[in-house]
Amino acid sequence: MRLWIAVHLPLLPLEVFYPNWSDEADAVVLEHTRVMAASQPACDAGVRYGMRRGGVLALLPRAHMHERAIEREAQALSGAATALLQYTPQAAFSDDATIVLDIGASLRLFGGIRALCRRVRATVRQLGLTAAVSCAPTAAGAALLARHCHLPGHHHPRTLSRPRLQRRLDRLPVSALPAALPYLDWLKGIGCRNLSDLRGLPRAGLQRRGDTRMLDALDCAYGEATELHAWIETPPSFRQRIELTERIEHAEAAQHTVQALLAQLCGWLTARQLAVTQVCVQLEHERGRQAVAPTVIELALAEPTWQDAHLIRLLKERLAQLEISAPVIAVVLEAARTEAMAPASESLFPEPGGTPEDYKRLVELLVARLGAEHVLQPSPLADYRPEQANRWVSVMEPAAPLDARPLPPRPGWLLEKPVALVMRQHRPYYGSRLRPVSPPERIEAGWWNGLLVTRDYYIAAGADHCHYWIYRERIGDVDGVEPHWYLHGVFG
């Protein structure tokens, strides 16, 4: 069964200037000097659709008025469509502010129609837009319901059967059908008030007095004609830019814009069946004579991903620590490196404590929060001397492969510098007398680089039942002096 979700953006002309995460202001959008959209505070002050500029200024002398930006609306609508491709590969534009999604094959994947509708609304909200969402067996029917359900007194319908869709469409006013708007006065004059009345009129008369588009739109909405769609296609590479309406003084304030771009990136990755391994974010500053080079954030991932939750956490940490030299006027997000998507298979018995992918994501989060130089991993060298073999490097650097040859027991905690031990009754002392509990391990190396080491290592136990790694310098035996003992590590 084919099932469609229609996403209508009723406040698109306004929200391209003031996204839903910005503070509400007395904002008004004009088209040919007349109001076509207004914020809720402006509507509460008396601003109405079709009002002239002078009337708005009489009610709100300090209103923020903008001319309608068709290009910005088209960019925002395209970004919303790209973000929604993560739920279905078949999406199309129904009109200038509505997107239809064929989700018949996606219901089981996302847990049913209710869960999928919630996720669609959350994604559109992440883009800074307000959505009216409806579901129906036909794309045109879902679009009509979505465009009408944002009005006061209407809810977001989920119509899963043809008879129920017909009953809902019959109650819609004739003005809900865009193709009928040129003939609205004539239709009202003959008592045609809703779509049920319109369908009851003789088709031949409608064709003579109107045009075939009105009847075609009705037939498609009711499922009585085949619908044709131009599916949205994604570009081969991803690079999106959002220009801000207000300057941002702190990098952390750009988080909402970055999240909106990440939502588009995830839709693009899903549509192209790709996973991203490196993301580049540019915070653009002033242009012209006082131009400032953009601030660049490069995010390299240890594990390829195509979901935005982990990327949002990483970029949030980076933005919180970033200091910018000039206000931000635009944000650019680019997928620098991608590879083919390889979804992880679900194991029947999952690993306790998380998967290897979870571990890598934790490491990436720690690097973003603490810095790569403070998150280390062991990378021992092939050297018998413990202080030379014990080496730590950043987790962002490749570690040397471990030697597979077996070695005698080694302590988990190796001191950065050996501690000289005092002798009591010819035995080394560290809080108590230390008693060797292992045969000696002789290490004699370093003659090739002038750092000669001649030691006998022992595992020793103290009165506190702790085990220590101690060694005795063999040079002292040659000089006739009592050899020196040192503590080099502690066993856990």
Side-chain angles (χ1 to χ4, degrees):
M1 180 186 69
R2 302 200 76 173
L3 199 60
W4 296 81
I5 286 180
V7 181
H8 179 59
L9 308 176
L11 302 179
L12 181 62
L14 177 67
E15 289 177 333
V16 295
F17 297 103
Y18 296 95
N20 57 17
W21 60 67
S22 61
D23 296 333
E24 286 195 2
D26 296 330
V28 177
V29 178
L30 303 175
E31 186 175 27
H32 305 305
T33 71
R34 289 186 178 274
V35 176
M36 69 155 311
S39 64
Q40 189 60 45
C43 293
D44 294 340
V47 176
R48 294 293 179 265
Y49 177 80
M51 184 180 290
R52 291 186 177 273
R53 181 192 296 266
V56 175
L57 292 176
L59 295 173
L60 296 171
R62 297 184 179 180
H64 303 280
M65 289 188 286
H66 303 270
E67 287 294 329
R68 185 180 184 185
I70 301 295
E71 292 184 0
R72 298 185 69 167
E73 291 178 29
Q75 181 184 5
L77 184 66
S78 176
T82 302
L84 293 174
L85 287 176
Q86 59 188 294
Y87 303 116
T88 175
Q90 294 182 318
F93 297 112
S94 177
D95 57 30
D96 293 341
T98 307
I99 307 164
V100 290
L101 311 172
D102 183 358
I103 48 87
S106 306
L107 293 180
R108 193 168 184 178
L109 177 62
F110 294 100
I113 185 61
R114 293 177 182 271
L116 184 53
C117 287
R118 286 195 297 267
R119 294 187 64 162
V120 168
R121 290 194 194 96
T123 299
V124 178
R125 192 181 310 116
Q126 187 176 341
L127 297 170
L129 304 173
T130 301
V133 178
S134 291
C135 178
T138 65
L144 284 177
L145 294 175
R147 284 193 291 267
H148 194 69
C149 70
H150 76 278
L151 300 175
H154 296 270
H155 64 288
H156 301 270
R158 285 184 291 271
T159 305
L160 305 183
S161 64
R162 290 286 179 87
R164 190 174 181 184
L165 172 64
Q166 179 176 344
R167 291 194 297 270
R168 288 187 179 276
L169 291 177
D170 284 345
R171 293 196 294 267
L172 293 182
V174 177
S175 58
L177 190 67
L181 293 179
Y183 314 100
L184 202 57
D185 293 337
W186 169 66
L187 291 173
K188 288 184 178 179
I190 62 175
C192 182
R193 303 186 181 279
N194 53 42
L195 295 186
S196 177
D197 297 335
L198 182 61
R199 294 186 73 210
L201 295 177
R203 294 178 67 91
L206 284 176
Q207 288 180 350
R208 286 194 303 269
R209 294 177 176 269
D211 55 34
T212 58
R213 289 181 300 174
M214 184 165 54
L215 292 175
D216 292 341
L218 269 179
D219 293 341
C220 289
Y222 282 84
E224 297 172 353
T226 302
E227 297 181 281
L228 300 178
H229 302 281
W231 303 120
I232 297 172
E233 297 183 359
T234 56
S237 60
F238 183 88
R239 189 181 189 274
Q240 291 293 331
R241 179 179 183 271
I242 294 181
E243 189 168 349
L244 306 177
T245 56
E246 297 180 353
R247 299 173 184 268
I248 292 179
E249 301 289 341
H250 304 283
E252 194 172 6
Q255 178 184 341
H256 290 294
T257 306
V258 172
Q259 289 184 8
L261 290 170
L262 286 176
Q264 298 181 36
L265 172 63
C266 291
W268 179 83
L269 290 171
T270 305
R272 306 288 299 187
Q273 291 294 292
L274 295 174
V276 66
T277 57
Q278 184 176 357
V279 175
C280 180
V281 177
Q282 295 183 18
L283 306 180
E284 295 184 358
H285 307 295
E286 292 288 347
R287 294 189 293 266
R289 293 184 177 180
Q290 300 178 346
V292 179
T295 302
V296 179
I297 303 175
E298 291 187 353
L299 199 63
L301 303 174
E303 187 73 16
T305 184
W306 56 91
Q307 297 176 346
D308 61 348
H310 181 54
L311 293 171
I312 288 174
R313 287 196 296 266
L314 295 180
L315 287 172
K316 182 179 180 181
E317 295 291 342
R318 295 289 295 272
L319 290 171
Q321 301 174 9
L322 186 64
E323 295 184 2
I324 55 178
S325 58
V328 180
I329 62 173
V331 181
V332 179
L333 179 68
E334 181 179 3
R337 284 205 307 263
T338 58
E339 61 183 51
M341 181 189 296
S345 60
E346 295 292 337
S347 174
L348 179 60
F349 301 104
E351 297 263 349
T355 63
E357 290 77 13
D358 295 332
Y359 169 76
K360 292 179 181 179
R361 291 172 183 170
L362 173 62
V363 170
E364 290 170 351
L365 183 61
L366 292 175
V367 168
R369 181 172 299 179
L370 305 176
E373 67 277 7
H374 296 119
V375 184
L376 308 177
Q377 64 178 342
S379 180
L381 296 176
D383 199 306
Y384 289 105
R385 295 166 294 180
E387 60 271 20
Q388 299 296 328
N390 185 57
R391 189 172 69 110
W392 294 82
V393 298
S394 170
V395 292
M396 305 307 293
E397 300 179 17
L402 296 177
D403 196 341
R405 291 177 296 177
L407 290 173
R410 290 290 185 264
W413 179 24
L414 190 69
L415 300 182
E416 184 176 356
K417 184 178 180 181
V419 176
L421 300 176
V422 299
M423 301 295 294
R424 292 189 180 180
Q425 297 180 357
H426 304 287
R427 284 194 177 182
Y429 187 90
Y430 186 74
S432 63
R433 292 174 61 189
L434 300 180
R435 176 176 55 86
V437 296
S438 73
E441 176 192 353
R442 178 159 294 181
I443 295 179
E444 187 169 342
W447 51 267
W448 55 86
N449 60 2
L451 299 175
L452 180 62
V453 166
T454 56
R455 301 169 182 169
D456 288 336
Y457 277 87
Y458 297 85
I459 299 176
D464 55 358
H465 302 289
C466 288
H467 286 76
Y468 304 90
W469 204 39
I470 64 176
Y471 69 84
R472 181 180 63 175
E473 288 282 5
R474 293 179 53 244
I475 297 298
D477 296 339
V478 178
D479 299 337
V481 181
E482 186 174 5
H484 297 290
W485 288 84
Y486 295 87
L487 172 64
H488 205 174
V490 180
F491 289 89

